[in-house]
Every structure is written in C-alpha cells, then in structure tokens.
Amino acid sequence: MKAYPKETVGQAVKRALTDVRGTTQNYNMVQKFIKSLSSHGVVIPTYVSYRAELIRNTINTGRLAVRELTSGNTQLQIAGGKRAAGMIFTAMVVQQAWSTLSEWMTGLGEDELEMLNALKAPWFGNKNLVYLEAKDGELKYFDPEYVVPQTMFLNALDGGYKEIEKGNILNGIYTPIKLIGEGFMDMNILSKTTSQFLTNTNNYGDPIYNEKFDEPEEKAAMVKDHFVENMFTPGFIRSVEKMRKASEGEVGSYGSTATFDNIALSFLGLRVQQQDLTSDRFLVDPLKQYLSLSTDLSKKFTKKNKLELEGLNKLGDLNEKQTERKAELEGGQTKVEKGRKTLIAEVSAKVKAFKALSIPKDRIKEALKMAKIPLYIREALKD
C-alpha cells in the first residue's frame, strides 16, 4: 500500500492477484494447445505443462521486476530491485552448487571439468552437467535440468554468454532463445522425433540413415523404426536393454552403458549418463565426425581452385571478371583456413580431455587413426 497510497483495498487485492497469477505455477493458465498435448500422455509427456508454466512464470517475473524498476516510484523500485536480485542470486547459487558438487565428487578442478565437456555425449548439447565420477575406467554425469528445471535458463544464458565471448553478438542473442525453445520441445517426444527426422539425427547424434547410399525404401524403413522406438519405447526399457548389452560386453554410442544403480536413480529424476573409458567407442565416436567435416570443408576450396588462384596471381593485371573470380577464390581459401583451425582446436580439446582422464597416449593415437582424422589435424596436434 505504501507504493500506492491512493489505492483502495479492493484495487490493491486485484493488483496483487494479477501479479501472483503471472509469477506462480497455475495450470489453469496453460494454453489450451499445450493442455491438449499434455493430456495425450502416452505420446507426449505431462512435463510439457510444467515447462510451459516455468517459462511463463520466469518471463513474467522478469517483466514485473523491470516494470517496478522503471516506474519512478521509490517503493516499487525497492521491490523491483529485491525481485531482480533474488533471481540473479538464485541463479548464481544454483550454478555454483552444481560446480562445487562436480569438483567434490570427482576431485577435479574447474579447468579439468571444463575439458571434460568436450567429451560429453552429443545429445546433451550445450548443457552444463554435474560430474559424479571420472576415474576407474568410468565417466558419470547427469543433467541437473531434470532435478532443478530452472537450470534450463542458466544453460540458455551461459550459452549466449559463450557466443558473445567468441565475438558472435547475434548468436549471443539468438542462442538463449533457441536453447529455451529446445528445452521446452525436448520434453515433447513427438516434436523431438519430428525434429530428428528432419535433421536425420538419432538420439545419439548419429544419422538415422545414410543419405548417399541408402535406397528410398531403406530410408523409409529406418525412419519408421526410429519413430516407433522413440514414441513407444519407455526410457526404462531402453535402460534395461542398454544394461543387458553392457553385461554382454557391448557398449553403445560414445561408450555409453548402464547399471541397476543408474536405473534406480532414474526413478528419482536423476538420469545418470555413464561411459566406459576402456571402450574404443568412447574414444572414437567423438572423433568420427571430423573426417566428414573436413571433407565438406575441402569442397569449398579444391586443388583445382588452388591452381586457378595461382594462375590468376601470375597474370598481374586482371579484367573485371578475373578480379571477381580471384576475390571469390580467396574467400573460399580463407573459409577453409579458418574452418581447419576450428577443427584442429576442437579435436585438440578432445585429446586434452582424454589426457585429463589419464588415457594412455598410445590409445589416443590409435583412436585418431581409427576415426580417420585427417593428417593435417594429426600433424597440428604434435606441436
């Protein structure tokens, strides 16, 4: 009432109710479309409504804080400052808690844990993880977003900050929006499966089918199998199957495996990812992509293009058409050089992470060969 001394009790109650509805969980406020999706629990999980409310509450709380801070009313500005400070403090405490837990559980420092992020399974994307173990031939971690859903916003902001650090301002703005959208849609099995079909990517980051060699009928069959498995196979069954394979000495993509302990923890919302450091797949799978990436990069500036550019450089005076062609070729050459530096840096980060896990140099060297890492990358790693 101090902020609005002329306001009646009825008006104050109405305003308070509006603010409370906007900033607290209220499933009556969930959009009808989301409710209809959530009600089809067999295909679309009930978490959709929760995520929708989480996003709505956070956005409204931020809006309310901004409105109060810019109101010009001293009392409201104090309230807005407390509200904003509370959001920032909570984010900092949660982030620090996960980091401290990782250091305590693994005995590794912040820099070493940062290295391990280069080896996390691709289906975790840009998420910040909590590491539980990084020794005795095992790497264990989990996504805290399933335990504290608000972590989704921390991941989004952190992703944007990292892009800005690289000098990508537009990506810094776009990334948080993209990650929040993905975080919401990831809880929707139908949308996730559709997205995987459109990008030809399965749950492990691998292609569902071979775009170059598989026939249309084969592609259709593989997509159908992927759809059925994603939509109608419960996560518990997948974990049991993964554990069965592990007991037989078989491991999944990126060395992933499972135990009864992990399955038990999943019932508590703690979805532990376990990777077998002694398996070849743990070393080779994170590196396999670089052969195709390097091949695609080379197409931007081929040997033929190089000879053509050398010829143009020898000519001296060039006409308008030749000048344009030279600029085009030089642009392609620059892209390839920049792209190669990026690939070298990424492979180098993975190799450093392998070493941080005390994996012998001979195994790392052999993995680079098995993954068919291009010679120019391997040569650069020797420096």
Side-chain angles (χ1 to χ4, degrees):
M1 296 292 285
K2 289 182 181 179
Y4 297 96
K6 297 180 180 179
E7 192 175 56
T8 65
V9 173
Q11 290 172 327
V13 170
K14 185 177 180 180
R15 177 174 52 78
L17 287 174
T18 300
D19 290 345
V20 169
R21 286 186 69 188
T23 58
T24 57
Q25 296 277 355
N26 183 349
Y27 291 105
N28 288 326
M29 299 293 291
V30 177
Q31 295 90 337
K32 289 183 179 179
F33 172 68
I34 300 298
K35 282 184 178 179
S36 67
L37 293 183
S38 186
S39 65
H40 295 79
V42 175
V43 175
I44 298 168
T46 53
Y47 319 135
V48 172
S49 292
Y50 180 78
R51 282 290 177 101
E53 275 298 277
L54 183 65
I55 293 171
R56 184 184 71 85
N57 297 156
T58 303
I59 291 173
N60 284 340
T61 300
R63 282 178 176 172
L64 181 57
V66 171
R67 190 171 73 233
E68 290 171 336
L69 287 168
T70 58
S71 65
N73 184 306
T74 304
Q75 293 298 325
L76 285 179
Q77 287 174 334
I78 292 172
K82 289 179 179 179
R83 199 182 303 276
M87 293 178 72
I88 294 169
F89 178 74
T90 301
M92 291 173 64
V93 167
V94 170
Q95 186 75 4
Q96 186 58 45
W98 295 140
S99 178
T100 302
L101 179 60
S102 290
E103 292 179 21
W104 179 61
M105 293 295 293
T106 63
L108 299 176
E110 188 177 340
D111 292 340
E112 292 170 308
L113 290 171
E114 186 66 31
M115 285 184 190
L116 294 186
N117 283 330
L119 301 179
K120 63 186 176 185
W123 48 91
F124 286 102
N126 294 319
K127 293 180 178 180
N128 292 307
L129 305 173
V130 176
Y131 289 91
L132 302 175
E133 191 171 330
K135 60 181 180 179
D136 300 328
E138 290 182 339
L139 179 63
K140 291 183 181 180
Y141 51 85
F142 70 91
D143 176 9
E145 198 170 302
Y146 287 99
V147 183
V148 181
Q150 285 83 354
T151 306
M152 171 176 64
F153 296 104
L154 298 180
N155 286 329
L157 292 173
D158 187 54
Y161 175 72
K162 286 176 179 176
E163 288 296 327
I164 291 173
E165 269 192 323
K166 296 175 187 176
N168 303 324
I169 306 299
L170 291 178
N171 280 349
I173 298 171
Y174 166 72
T175 297
I177 299 171
K178 174 177 174 286
L179 291 178
I180 290 173
E182 287 177 351
F184 170 68
M185 297 302 284
D186 195 45
M187 302 306 289
N188 181 336
I189 297 175
L190 178 59
S191 65
K192 182 180 180 181
T193 304
T194 302
S195 174
Q196 289 175 337
F197 163 67
L198 294 173
T199 58
N200 187 28
T201 307
N202 63 20
N203 294 319
Y204 307 107
D206 298 324
I208 299 172
Y209 55 82
N210 190 308
E211 295 183 8
K212 292 183 178 180
F213 303 111
D214 288 334
E215 297 295 329
E217 297 80 8
E218 294 174 312
K219 292 179 181 178
M222 291 175 184
V223 168
K224 184 196 75 174
D225 291 343
H226 178 69
F227 180 84
V228 171
E229 180 185 356
N230 251 27
M231 299 291 283
F232 302 108
T233 305
F236 172 76
I237 300 299
R238 289 198 191 100
S239 295
V240 170
E241 179 64 17
K242 191 186 293 183
M243 192 171 61
R244 181 190 64 77
K245 290 180 179 179
S247 67
E248 296 174 355
E250 183 182 343
V251 294
S253 296
Y254 295 81
S256 61
T257 182
T259 64
F260 277 116
D261 292 342
N262 292 346
I263 292 176
L265 287 171
S266 69
F267 287 111
L268 301 176
L270 201 64
R271 303 185 181 187
V272 176
Q273 171 71 32
Q274 181 170 315
Q275 289 167 277
D276 181 1
L277 307 188
T278 64
S279 68
D280 287 338
R281 295 205 69 173
F282 174 75
L283 295 173
V284 176
D285 283 3
L287 298 169
K288 286 193 303 185
Q289 60 177 314
Y290 293 102
L291 174 61
S292 59
L293 288 174
S294 183
T295 301
D296 291 342
L297 190 61
S298 298
K299 293 176 182 176
K300 298 181 185 297
F301 189 73
T302 63
K303 290 182 179 179
K304 186 178 178 180
N305 294 147
K306 184 179 179 181
L307 291 172
E308 185 181 355
L309 181 58
E310 289 174 353
L312 288 171
N313 286 331
K314 290 177 183 178
L315 287 177
D317 293 333
L318 304 176
N319 59 37
E320 185 178 346
K321 189 174 181 180
Q322 288 172 325
T323 301
E324 289 177 358
R325 178 57 178 164
K326 182 185 176 183
E328 183 182 346
L329 290 170
E330 288 175 337
Q333 185 180 41
T334 300
K335 284 182 180 178
V336 170
E337 289 173 352
K338 186 177 179 181
R340 285 190 168 189
K341 286 180 181 178
T342 299
L343 296 184
I344 290 170
E346 290 182 6
V347 174
S348 177
K350 293 186 186 329
V351 169
K352 286 179 181 177
F354 290 147
K355 290 178 179 178
L357 292 169
S358 301
I359 293 173
K361 290 182 179 179
D362 290 343
R363 279 197 67 205
I364 297 173
K365 188 176 180 180
E366 185 60 29
L368 292 169
K369 289 181 181 178
M370 290 173 67
K372 298 180 180 179
I373 295 297
L375 184 61
Y376 75 87
I377 295 180
R378 282 186 278 159
E379 288 293 330
L381 294 177
K382 293 179 182 179
D383 297 337

